[in-house]
Amino acid sequence: MGIVAGLDSSPDFTRIVVCDTDTGAVLRQGYAPHPAEGSDVDPQTWLLSLGEAAGGGLLEGVQAIGVSAQANAVVPLDAQGATVRPAMVGGDKRAQVAAADLVDALGGREAWAQAVGCVPTAAHPVTKLRWLQKTEPENAQRTAVLMQAHDWLVWQLLGRPVRRTTDRGGASGTGYWSATTGAYRPDLVELALGRQALLPEVIGPAEAAGTTPEGLLISAGTGETMAAAFGLGVGFGDAVVSLGASGSVMAVHPEPLHDGTGTITSLADATGMHLPVVTTLNAVRTLRGTAELLGLPDLETLSDLAMKSTPGAHGLVLLPYLEGERIPNLPHTAGTLAGLRREAMRPEHLARAAFEGMLCGLADALDVLRGRGVEVRRIFLLGPAAELPAVQAAAPSLFGARVVVPQPADYAAIGAARQAAWALGASQGTLDPRTPPSWQGAAAQVLDPGEDLAVGQAVRQQFVSVREQTHPGAFRV
């Protein structure tokens, strides 16, 4: 029996878990907040937070460490390895104009989708490089090396060696590496930054980035999304529906999906597979807006009210396109409430329609993946709203699949630890580099459609009919 550690450096905190190598059981854990906020962050704060989280001998006896970190953070370095400026993190609104500029510069959305499997947004690292070139040209000229948050942390843990590494998962979110070809597009770096820059070597899922002088193995590391999927135990046939203000649907698939429209973002996962993602603009914001309209204090009260209605909400259908929508592609539309009859005009029916509308919108996103041959047998439902009774009552039958609601846990950190165990086992010859360690699955509530499936599919068809009448031809699988 050995022990490994996984650390997750999120935008707000560092969390470390120490796990049993064989089972994945969490033995101990540490936590520390990140003091910095905003779009520009000194990466040294990540190291300070890491040191604080690891205090008190937390890492004693650990044989290997895996690193998960926030996506979309760019650390520009000069030729000597010093930071040129603070790291650019998050969905940086300053870069919105740069995103549109960059899309046009390559010839439109389809050109980007073909090149790297995604269309640049304000969050993408490649867009931040364009913003840097346009806004801070001197810093752009000084930039010789580009790293992401998890790359930089791995490099620091190893003592800043000459070799710099990353993984497929992290690289696939940059906008200048293609999951389809498995290669960088240096020309896109130059298009964005105005010059070439050194990029980390992309290593395999079970490869080690290196070993510290003390003999501690450091695995490849990966992005937070990929690490969380790995920590959850998501595999082929599984999808993940994440309920934030907006929504996202992703699934594990053995091959990259090319999508010329940019509807599907083609990411790589942390195991050597692929992770196609479809995002919606409206998820929990639909529930919050409905709660405010009804004068309710919180989503729990909205859920209780919705449970007083019945499936189909007495004919009320809410198309929840409150911020426009990506799926279907209706950026300038508004939401629609249809089916108003006297008997339906009750608060509980509107509450139910809000939950059903949100879930049907996410089911549309699932259908985009299913329409491209992605198998979905089981759906992991994430986010605080996944605990709401109204969500759990409706989701299995509307999605047409078994729904798994995992108990809250540090899945990104656990995924990083699992990667560390894999790299350790592969280096010792005890694990196959092609097969990750089998750890116990996430503790979860499992919900089956059961006898409600037919009712749920009738509700879904009611939603589809209203969507097609209101926006004919807008939804294409």
Side-chain angles (χ1 to χ4, degrees):
M1 182 190 299
I3 57 173
V4 293
L7 71 89
D8 175 35
S9 181
S10 83
D12 302 315
F13 57 80
T14 297
R15 198 177 295 278
I16 301 176
V17 297
V18 176
C19 299
D20 175 81
T21 307
D22 297 324
T23 67
V26 177
L27 306 175
R28 51 186 188 263
Q29 50 193 313
Y31 168 87
H34 285 174
E37 295 180 355
S39 298
D40 291 329
V41 176
D42 182 353
Q44 292 295 327
T45 62
W46 304 335
L47 280 182
L48 292 172
S49 177
L50 191 164
E52 185 180 343
L58 182 76
L59 299 179
E60 187 175 340
V62 165
Q63 299 167 276
I65 293 179
V67 177
S68 155
Q70 58 182 298
N72 302 321
V74 184
V75 186
L77 305 176
D78 64 19
Q80 288 70 46
T83 51
V84 169
R85 69 178 312 284
M88 295 173 281
V89 303
D92 193 337
K93 292 183 178 179
R94 297 175 301 182
Q96 286 177 339
V97 172
D101 184 31
L102 206 50
V103 170
D104 290 342
L106 193 65
R109 294 172 60 87
E110 185 167 349
W112 277 99
Q114 288 182 337
V116 287
C118 68
V119 178
T121 67
H124 280 100
V126 71
T127 304
K128 295 182 170 88
L129 299 183
R130 183 71 159 193
W131 177 88
L132 189 66
Q133 181 204 359
K134 297 293 185 181
T135 312
E136 301 177 3
E138 291 184 5
N139 284 335
Q141 281 302 307
R142 288 178 55 212
T143 298
V145 181
L146 293 172
M147 303 189 84
Q148 293 188 86
H150 78 83
D151 311 336
W152 187 85
L153 284 166
V154 165
W155 185 57
Q156 295 292 328
L157 289 172
L158 290 171
R160 298 160 60 97
V162 173
R163 183 192 190 213
R164 301 178 182 90
T165 62
T166 190
D167 88 307
R168 297 169 63 258
S172 66
T174 59
Y176 44 82
W177 185 88
S178 168
T180 301
T181 64
Y184 281 116
R185 288 287 303 266
D187 57 316
L188 299 183
V189 174
E190 186 165 3
L191 178 68
L193 187 63
R195 58 168 297 172
Q196 289 290 344
L198 293 175
L199 302 169
E201 175 189 348
V202 181
I203 62 177
E207 284 187 65
T211 306
T212 68
E214 298 77 26
L216 187 64
L217 183 141
I218 310 295
S219 63
T222 194
E224 209 165 27
T225 297
M226 297 77 186
F230 198 38
L232 280 164
V234 174
F236 182 65
D238 291 333
V240 177
V241 174
S242 183
L243 300 177
S246 55
S248 69
V249 176
M250 61 183 179
V252 176
H253 197 57
E255 299 173 350
L257 292 182
H258 170 69
D259 173 46
T261 68
T263 300
I264 300 173
T265 298
S266 296
L267 300 179
D269 78 348
T271 72
M273 300 273 273
H274 293 266
L275 203 64
V277 181
V278 178
T279 57
T280 68
L281 291 177
N282 301 279
V284 175
R285 63 165 40 100
T286 303
L287 304 183
R288 295 203 184 282
T290 307
E292 290 169 7
L293 180 64
L294 292 172
L296 303 178
D298 51 42
L299 298 187
E300 289 74 18
T301 309
L302 182 71
S303 174
D304 292 343
L305 184 62
M307 294 298 285
K308 295 177 181 177
S309 181
T310 53
H314 273 246
L316 280 189
V317 175
L318 177 64
L319 301 183
Y321 308 148
L322 308 184
E323 299 286 332
E325 192 45 270
R326 293 193 184 107
I327 308 297
N329 184 25
L330 297 165
H332 306 300
T333 195
T336 301
L337 183 63
L340 281 172
R341 294 183 177 86
R342 177 65 189 88
E343 63 271 19
M345 298 177 71
R346 296 183 61 83
E348 61 266 30
H349 302 322
L350 177 56
R352 179 86 188 196
F355 281 95
E356 291 177 347
M358 175 189 76
L359 293 170
C360 284
L362 290 161
D364 279 350
L366 271 168
D367 281 352
V368 171
L369 296 179
R370 283 169 164 150
R372 297 295 303 277
V374 176
E375 187 171 352
V376 178
R377 295 191 300 265
R378 183 173 63 161
I379 295 169
F380 286 80
L381 196 57
L382 305 184
E387 301 286 341
L388 296 173
V391 169
Q392 295 190 4
S397 62
L398 292 177
F399 291 158
R402 173 175 291 180
V403 169
V404 178
V405 183
Q407 291 182 4
D410 307 314
Y411 291 111
I414 292 169
R418 189 180 178 204
Q419 186 195 66
W422 193 7
L424 180 65
S427 72
Q428 295 173 339
T430 57
L431 285 177
D432 186 335
R434 296 165 298 181
T435 308
S438 297
W439 279 11
Q440 57 196 21
Q445 188 175 3
V446 180
L447 310 167
D448 282 301
E451 296 177 356
D452 295 333
L453 180 60
V455 174
Q457 293 307 291
V459 173
R460 180 84 204 288
Q461 187 55 51
Q462 181 177 265
F463 176 91
V464 169
S465 296
V466 172
R467 186 195 67 212
E468 283 302 305
Q469 290 168 9
T470 311
H471 305 288
F475 181 77
R476 296 182 179 88
V477 176

